[in-house]
Amino acid sequence: MHVYRLYVPVQPKVGIVSLHGDTAHRLINVLRLRPGDAFALTDGKGNEMRSRLIKAQRDEALVEIYEVTQPSREPKGHICLAITVLKGERFDWLIQKAVELGVREILPLLTRNCVVRISRDDSQRKQKRWLSIAISAMEQSGGCVLPIIHEPTSLSEALARAKHFDARIMLHEGAERALHQAVGELVMAKSAVLFVGPEGGFDDAEVEEAVSHGVVAVNLGRRILRSETAAIVGTAIILHHLEKP
Ligand code: SAM
């Protein structure tokens, strides 16, 4: 049976909660739940709260949380997808699919060949929009951990942060090694950061800078994929390998 799942950052404990605003609107007017109907809430921190609607008023839903669990629907590996910001809907699509797969962090990059220009105001507006896409994708795919959507940042800053990950991989169509060779070495890794470039690719200096930070540049075969396709293929392959016992 399909269970509606909504992200609501409430305390994960059994009891009665009163929900207002957008959440109440979704329960009452969009999902059209009636008193007694069951659904699930998640706090985005790994908890799922099995709930039922007790009372629906115009802008308030009275809800009983009757069980709190920590379902194991997350992939074992922690992946941070560090990808150059793409134009409009292509980046939205990428976020949706990456969250469906179970990526834990998305780090939007501003690299040399990036065609998107982002002001400070834009940056926060976009980050908010990407977060709402991530929330919907998490709810839809049964996830209970809300990924972190970072503010757009430079490649140098991203490389400095990458040292905290067990594996650092860059997708680069000119690389000699293939991803399937590199993942064979991920045996003990629990976390990985995956760098993906813009339509114009990473330039040589950027690849060199990444390699000097311990990043392994790899190819995905002989075909040139669009950035968002490459990101999803690369993520799926790495997640599969991190999943191994
Ligand atoms: N500048 C390149 C060209 O025109 O030949 C294409 C860049 S590709 C469209 C965009 C990004 O996707 C790349 O920076 C890389 O991260 C990734 N990518 C696409 N195809 C790839 C492949 N075959 N191997 C590795 N990375 C790939």
Side-chain angles (χ1 to χ4, degrees):
M1 195 185 78
H2 178 74
V3 179
Y4 292 110
R5 187 172 294 96
L6 276 78
Y7 164 70
V8 183
V10 290
Q11 281 292 324
K13 58 179 190 195
V14 168
I16 309 286
V17 285
S18 162
L19 303 175
H20 298 262
D22 186 51
T23 311
H25 170 71
R26 285 179 66 195
L27 288 171
I28 300 166
N29 304 316
V30 181
L31 300 176
R32 296 188 168 277
L33 298 185
R34 298 281 167 257
D37 286 349
F39 57 95
L41 301 175
T42 176
D43 60 355
K45 293 179 180 159
N47 297 297
E48 183 167 84
M49 294 158 260
R50 293 184 165 269
S51 310
R52 67 173 70 89
L53 188 64
I54 297 180
K55 200 161 139 193
Q57 285 166 347
R58 205 151 29 110
D59 57 354
E60 183 193 9
L62 210 58
V63 167
E64 181 194 4
I65 298 175
Y66 58 88
E67 189 184 10
V68 179
T69 60
Q70 289 79 37
S72 54
R73 287 191 292 263
E74 305 305 324
K76 277 196 206 150
H78 179 124
I79 291 204
C80 172
L81 183 56
I83 175 166
T84 304
V85 180
L86 307 169
K87 272 194 182 163
E89 287 182 1
R90 291 177 45 203
F91 206 67
D92 295 351
W93 182 90
L94 178 269
I95 292 193
Q96 186 188 60
K97 300 306 161 206
V99 176
E100 281 176 35
L101 283 176
V103 157
R104 295 285 177 82
E105 297 181 52
I106 293 177
L107 181 52
L109 298 178
L110 298 170
T111 57
R112 269 186 215 123
N113 292 330
C114 176
V115 291
V116 180
R117 296 282 164 258
I118 303 183
S119 68
R120 178 104 199 126
D121 280 359
D122 267 359
S123 174
Q124 284 169 356
R125 198 172 38 79
K126 280 185 190 289
Q127 202 184 356
K128 227 171 134 186
R129 173 183 165 73
W130 296 331
L131 183 63
S132 78
I133 294 170
I135 289 172
S136 303
M138 175 190 70
E139 291 174 339
Q140 185 274 325
S141 59
C144 287
V145 176
L146 182 61
I148 303 167
I149 311 292
H150 295 279
E151 242 195 278
T153 189
S154 66
L155 179 64
S156 302
E157 170 61 30
L159 287 169
R161 293 190 207 171
K163 60 175 185 277
H164 303 295
F165 291 84
D166 297 338
R168 292 165 286 276
I169 296 172
M170 174 177 266
L171 295 184
H172 177 54
E173 58 287 351
E176 279 181 17
R177 288 183 84 193
L179 178 59
H180 68 83
Q181 294 171 313
V183 287
E185 290 152 28
L186 292 182
V187 187
M188 299 302 286
K190 291 190 169 28
S191 66
V193 54
L194 178 67
F195 291 91
V196 183
E199 277 317 286
F202 288 117
D203 72 14
D204 290 347
E206 288 174 326
V207 179
E208 269 170 37
E209 186 187 357
V211 170
S212 76
H213 279 78
V215 175
V216 181
V218 296
N219 70 64
L220 278 178
R222 286 182 287 271
R223 300 187 75 108
I224 304 294
L225 308 177
R226 296 186 80 149
S227 305
E228 65 273 32
T229 317
I232 294 305
V233 171
T235 299
I237 293 174
I238 295 171
L239 270 178
H240 175 77
H241 279 267
L242 295 181
E243 202 68 30
K244 287 188 178 159

Coordinates of all heavy atoms in Angstrom, one line a residue, residues 170-174 195-202 218-228 230-231, ligand 1:
M170 N 37.0 12.5 -10.0 CA 36.6 13.5 -10.9 C 36.3 12.8 -12.3 O 37.1 12.1 -12.8 CB 37.7 14.5 -11.2 CG 37.4 15.6 -12.2 SD 38.6 16.8 -12.4 CE 38.0 18.1 -11.3
L171 N 35.1 13.1 -12.8 CA 34.7 12.6 -14.1 C 35.3 13.6 -15.2 O 35.0 14.8 -15.2 CB 33.2 12.5 -14.3 CG 32.5 11.5 -13.4 CD1 31.0 11.5 -13.8 CD2 33.1 10.1 -13.5
H172 N 36.2 13.0 -16.0 CA 36.9 13.9 -17.0 C 37.0 13.0 -18.3 O 37.7 12.0 -18.2 CB 38.2 14.3 -16.5 CG 39.0 15.2 -17.5 ND1 38.4 16.3 -18.1 CD2 40.2 15.0 -18.0 CE1 39.3 16.8 -18.9 NE2 40.4 16.0 -18.9
E173 N 36.4 13.5 -19.3 CA 36.4 12.7 -20.5 C 37.8 12.4 -21.1 O 38.0 11.4 -21.8 CB 35.5 13.3 -21.6 CG 35.8 14.7 -22.1 CD 35.5 15.8 -21.1 OE1 34.8 15.5 -20.0 OE2 35.9 16.9 -21.3
G174 N 38.8 13.2 -20.7 CA 40.1 13.0 -21.2 C 41.0 12.1 -20.4 O 42.1 11.8 -20.7
F195 N 33.3 14.7 -8.6 CA 33.3 16.0 -9.3 C 32.9 15.8 -10.7 O 33.3 14.9 -11.4 CB 34.8 16.6 -9.3 CG 35.2 17.0 -7.9 CD1 35.9 16.1 -7.1 CD2 35.0 18.3 -7.5 CE1 36.3 16.5 -5.9 CE2 35.4 18.7 -6.2 CZ 36.1 17.8 -5.4
V196 N 31.9 16.7 -11.2 CA 31.4 16.6 -12.5 C 31.5 18.0 -13.1 O 31.1 19.0 -12.4 CB 30.0 16.1 -12.6 CG1 29.5 15.9 -14.0 CG2 29.9 14.7 -11.9
G197 N 31.9 18.1 -14.4 CA 32.1 19.4 -15.0 C 30.9 20.0 -15.7 O 29.9 19.3 -15.9
P198 N 31.0 21.2 -16.3 CA 30.0 21.8 -17.1 C 30.0 21.3 -18.5 O 30.9 20.5 -18.9 CB 30.3 23.3 -17.0 CG 31.8 23.3 -17.0 CD 32.2 22.0 -16.2
E199 N 29.1 21.8 -19.3 CA 29.1 21.3 -20.8 C 30.4 21.5 -21.5 O 30.8 20.7 -22.3 CB 28.0 22.1 -21.5 CG 26.6 21.4 -21.3 CD 26.6 19.9 -21.4 OE1 26.8 19.4 -22.5 OE2 26.6 19.2 -20.3
G200 N 31.1 22.6 -21.1 CA 32.4 22.8 -21.7 C 33.5 22.0 -21.1 O 34.7 22.1 -21.5
G201 N 33.2 21.3 -20.1 CA 34.2 20.4 -19.4 C 35.0 21.2 -18.4 O 35.0 22.4 -18.3
F202 N 35.8 20.4 -17.6 CA 36.9 21.1 -16.7 C 38.0 21.4 -17.7 O 38.3 20.7 -18.6 CB 37.4 20.0 -15.7 CG 36.4 19.7 -14.6 CD1 35.9 18.4 -14.5 CD2 35.9 20.7 -13.7 CE1 35.0 18.1 -13.4 CE2 35.0 20.4 -12.7 CZ 34.6 19.1 -12.6
V218 N 38.8 10.2 -13.9 CA 38.5 8.9 -14.6 C 37.5 9.2 -15.7 O 36.8 10.3 -15.7 CB 37.8 7.9 -13.6 CG1 38.7 7.5 -12.5 CG2 36.5 8.5 -13.0
N219 N 37.5 8.3 -16.7 CA 36.5 8.5 -17.8 C 35.3 7.5 -17.6 O 35.4 6.5 -16.8 CB 37.1 8.3 -19.1 CG 37.6 6.9 -19.4 OD1 36.7 6.0 -19.5 ND2 38.9 6.6 -19.5
L220 N 34.3 7.7 -18.3 CA 33.1 6.9 -18.2 C 32.9 6.1 -19.6 O 31.8 5.8 -19.9 CB 31.8 7.7 -18.0 CG 31.5 8.2 -16.6 CD1 30.3 9.1 -16.6 CD2 31.3 7.0 -15.7
G221 N 34.0 6.0 -20.3 CA 33.8 5.3 -21.6 C 34.1 6.3 -22.7 O 34.4 7.4 -22.5
R222 N 33.8 5.8 -23.9 CA 34.2 6.6 -25.1 C 33.2 7.7 -25.5 O 33.4 8.6 -26.3 CB 34.5 5.7 -26.3 CG 35.9 5.0 -26.1 CD 36.2 4.2 -27.3 NE 35.4 3.0 -27.4 CZ 35.7 1.8 -26.8 NH1 36.9 1.7 -26.1 NH2 34.9 0.8 -26.8
R223 N 32.0 7.6 -25.0 CA 30.9 8.5 -25.4 C 31.0 9.8 -24.5 O 31.2 9.7 -23.3 CB 29.6 7.9 -25.3 CG 29.5 6.7 -26.2 CD 28.1 6.2 -26.3 NE 27.2 7.1 -27.1 CZ 26.8 6.7 -28.3 NH1 27.1 5.6 -28.8 NH2 26.0 7.6 -28.9
I224 N 30.7 10.9 -25.0 CA 30.6 12.1 -24.2 C 29.2 12.3 -23.8 O 28.3 12.4 -24.6 CB 31.0 13.4 -25.1 CG1 32.4 13.2 -25.7 CG2 30.9 14.7 -24.2 CD1 33.5 13.1 -24.7
L225 N 29.0 12.3 -22.5 CA 27.7 12.4 -21.9 C 27.4 13.9 -21.5 O 28.3 14.6 -21.2 CB 27.5 11.5 -20.7 CG 27.9 10.0 -20.9 CD1 27.9 9.3 -19.6 CD2 27.1 9.4 -22.0
R226 N 26.1 14.2 -21.4 CA 25.8 15.5 -20.8 C 26.2 15.5 -19.4 O 26.2 14.4 -18.7 CB 24.3 15.8 -21.0 CG 23.9 16.0 -22.5 CD 22.5 16.4 -22.6 NE 22.5 17.9 -22.4 CZ 21.6 18.7 -23.0 NH1 20.7 18.2 -23.8 NH2 21.6 20.0 -22.7
S227 N 26.4 16.6 -18.8 CA 26.9 16.6 -17.4 C 26.0 15.9 -16.4 O 26.4 15.1 -15.6 CB 27.0 18.1 -16.9 OG 27.9 18.8 -17.8
E228 N 24.7 16.2 -16.6 CA 23.7 15.6 -15.7 C 23.6 14.0 -15.9 O 23.4 13.3 -14.9 CB 22.3 16.2 -15.7 CG 21.6 16.1 -17.0 CD 21.9 17.2 -18.1 OE1 23.1 17.6 -18.1 OE2 21.0 17.5 -18.9
A230 N 26.2 12.2 -17.0 CA 27.4 11.6 -16.4 C 27.3 11.6 -14.9 O 27.8 10.6 -14.3 CB 28.6 12.6 -16.8
A231 N 26.7 12.6 -14.3 CA 26.7 12.7 -12.8 C 25.8 11.5 -12.3 O 26.2 10.8 -11.3 CB 26.0 14.0 -12.4
Ligands
SAM1 N1 34.2 19.5 -23.0 C1 33.8 18.2 -23.4 C2 33.8 18.1 -24.9 O1 33.2 18.9 -25.5 O2 34.4 17.1 -25.4 C3 32.5 17.7 -22.8 C4 32.2 17.9 -21.4 S1 30.9 16.9 -20.9 C5 29.6 17.4 -21.9 C6 30.4 17.5 -19.3 C7 31.0 16.8 -18.1 O3 30.4 15.5 -18.0 C8 32.5 16.6 -18.1 O4 33.2 17.7 -17.5 C9 32.6 15.4 -17.2 O5 32.7 15.7 -15.9 C10 31.4 14.6 -17.6 N2 31.5 13.6 -18.7 C11 30.8 13.5 -19.8 N3 31.2 12.5 -20.5 C12 32.2 11.9 -19.8 C13 33.0 10.7 -20.1 N4 32.9 10.0 -21.2 N5 33.9 10.4 -19.2 C14 34.1 11.2 -18.1 N6 33.4 12.2 -17.8 C15 32.4 12.6 -18.6

